[in-house]
Amino acid sequence: MTEPENRCRLVLIAPEIADADERASIVADALKGGDVASVIVPQYGLDDGTFQKHAEKLVPLIQDAGAAALIAGDSRVAGRAKADGLHLSGNAEALSEAIEKHAPKLIVGGGNAADRHKALEIGEARPDYIFFGKLDGDIKPEAHPKNLALGEWWASMIEIPCIVMGGTDPASALAVAETGAEFVALRLAVFGEPSRAPSIVAEVNALLDEKAPRFED
């Protein structure tokens, strides 16, 4: 699979499905659709032991597809499941501690970047990426205007890559790409109808190939 080097790439957020095998099968199918930079696996309401089992099923299949597997929140689960990284939605201090402890062995990124001030505090911790939005924040067809504005501001001046949460409409990926953000995160846009997930991943990649602005080297 060739990676599009110079445009916004897709990040998937694993859907909330209680059955680990079903969840793994749906994510594996989606990854057959085309280029995905990484998959973030949230805990949702699972207890730690069940989350661990889910992670152990998901991580290898994500990695086999050529994407990075990022576990949300729990460094022990990330370590045991041999994930590539850790996605944190806490404050700058929590992110800074995790970076000190786990980088560069693990990718460490995320942050609760609700405004410019918080984003800059997170940036000082030098995470691998910053995330604008919430993992389950795709409640409307379009990406949240505040997250688009933050992504555009950040991408124009700071080298740390950013991921901006898209909406429930796959076409929202293009609005994110147009901000200059390096990555767009989609959840319900891809997994709302699991049987269509691979074709939606393919459609989003085709849309970005055709219309996303290109980064300058």
Side-chain angles (χ1 to χ4, degrees), residues 157-182:
M157 56 177 257
I158 293 174
E159 285 189 4
I160 296 166
C162 69
I163 305 176
V164 176
M165 187 70 206
T168 56
D169 181 346
S172 65
L174 184 57
V176 171
E178 285 167 347
T179 67
E182 288 83 359

Side-chain angles (χ1 to χ4, degrees), residues 121-135:
E121 281 184 349
I122 289 162
E124 281 172 18
R126 309 295 300 168
D128 290 296
Y129 66 85
I130 187 167
F131 190 96
F132 292 112
K134 293 192 168 101
L135 294 181

Side-chain angles (χ1 to χ4, degrees), residues 64-90:
D64 287 349
L70 308 176
I71 298 296
D74 195 320
S75 59
R76 286 165 310 182
V77 170
R80 290 183 198 133
K82 298 184 171 57
D84 300 289
L86 194 54
H87 176 90
L88 298 172
S89 48

Side-chain angles (χ1 to χ4, degrees), residues 7 19 44 59 62 86 95 110 131 133 198 203 216:
R7 65 146 172 86
D19 183 288
Y44 296 118
V59 166
I62 293 166
L86 194 54
L95 204 55
F131 190 96
E203 278 167 32
E216 292 162 17

Side-chain angles (χ1 to χ4, degrees), residues 144-205:
H144 196 295
K146 185 181 79 170
N147 296 331
L148 291 175
L150 283 166
E152 185 163 18
W153 160 75
W154 182 271
S156 70
M157 56 177 257
I158 293 174
E159 285 189 4
I160 296 166
C162 69
I163 305 176
V164 176
M165 187 70 206
T168 56
D169 181 346
S172 65
L174 184 57
V176 171
E178 285 167 347
T179 67
E182 288 83 359
F183 301 98
V184 53
L186 295 179
R187 186 180 67 125
L188 294 176
V190 170
F191 295 112
E193 287 181 59
S195 60
R196 293 191 57 224
S199 61
I200 291 169
V201 168
E203 278 167 32
V204 170
N205 271 299

